Amino acid sequence: MFVKRGMGRHDVTLICLQILCLQCLYYAMLGMWFIGGHIIFGITLHLDRFFDTHTSLDVQSMSAAFELAGVLGAGLGASYLLSVVVEKARKCLDFAVTLYGTHLLLSLCYSRSFPRWTWWLCHGCALVVAVVCGEFLCARNELKEIPLAVVPGERTPKAER
């Protein structure tokens, strides 16, 4: 069998653990946002904040606007998580779609109703933000200079900007 250059065997365990890690950290980050809203603004805490698909995400109420900002902010946070957990720009799209696809499945199981258009719009924008910013952060990390020979006690010259 011919193997293309750079294409080795995939470590299924590593990929599954990366997906699990991303999912857990995403919900932890979103949960901290909602806990902050509860402490500062007195917004109620419940699982509907995470998984309800039939609530209207408009900016008319403080609660809905806070939830909308949380989902979009979690998209930015997911981009950072992608750069830390995945570390490869070419894998960011796959992992981000898996993250939000799993969130969609969990939301469908929880609310037992098809999401409203505002839910799709909000989470679609968060997915785009996560992919674009995640790929940017990963590409920036991949392009960092690799020190070839570092002698202990010697300082390396900083790259010119």
Side-chain angles (χ1 to χ4, degrees), residues 59-79:
V59 291
Q60 299 294 330
S61 68
M62 171 79 152
S63 176
F66 189 78
E67 193 170 331
L68 177 72
V71 170
L72 294 176
L76 279 174
S79 65

Side-chain angles (χ1 to χ4, degrees), residues 43-55:
I43 296 173
T44 58
L45 290 175
H46 44 80
L47 280 178
D48 287 350
R49 297 259 181 247
F50 291 97
F51 301 115
D52 194 12
T53 60
H54 57 270
T55 57

Side-chain angles (χ1 to χ4, degrees), residues 9 12 15 18 24 67 74 102 104 143 145:
R9 295 189 59 180
V12 178
I15 293 171
Q18 284 176 322
C24 290
E67 193 170 331
T102 306
L104 171 65
L143 293 175
E145 226 177 87

Side-chain angles (χ1 to χ4, degrees), residues 6-151:
M7 297 289 290
R9 295 189 59 180
H10 296 291
D11 188 2
V12 178
T13 306
L14 175 66
I15 293 171
C16 290
L17 288 175
Q18 284 176 322
I19 291 170
L20 183 66
C21 181
L22 271 175
Q23 204 74 39
C24 290
L25 290 174
Y26 174 77
Y27 287 126
M29 181 177 44
L30 201 54
M32 288 191 322
W33 174 262
F34 292 141
I35 288 171
H38 175 70
I39 292 170
I40 296 170
F41 301 113
I43 296 173
T44 58
L45 290 175
H46 44 80
L47 280 178
D48 287 350
R49 297 259 181 247
F50 291 97
F51 301 115
D52 194 12
T53 60
H54 57 270
T55 57
S56 180
L57 292 177
D58 58 357
V59 291
Q60 299 294 330
S61 68
M62 171 79 152
S63 176
F66 189 78
E67 193 170 331
L68 177 72
V71 170
L72 294 176
L76 279 174
S79 65
Y80 175 74
L81 293 176
L82 286 168
S83 71
V84 172
V85 175
V86 178
E87 296 178 339
K88 300 288 182 195
R90 61 187 168 92
K91 294 181 180 181
C92 282
L93 177 65
D94 299 335
F95 278 90
V97 169
T98 303
L99 173 72
Y100 281 95
T102 306
H103 179 65
L104 171 65
L105 290 176
L106 291 172
S107 297
L108 287 173
C109 289
Y110 178 80
S111 64
R112 295 191 173 121
S113 66
F114 199 71
R116 298 179 104 182
W117 69 272
T118 54
W119 188 94
W120 285 105
L121 181 67
C122 181
H123 285 82
C125 290
L127 173 63
V128 169
V129 166
V131 170
V132 172
C133 294
E135 285 182 356
F136 171 76
L137 291 173
C138 286
R140 195 177 73 182
N141 286 339
E142 288 174 0
L143 293 175
K144 281 185 180 175
E145 226 177 87
I146 300 172
L148 297 177
V150 178
V151 179

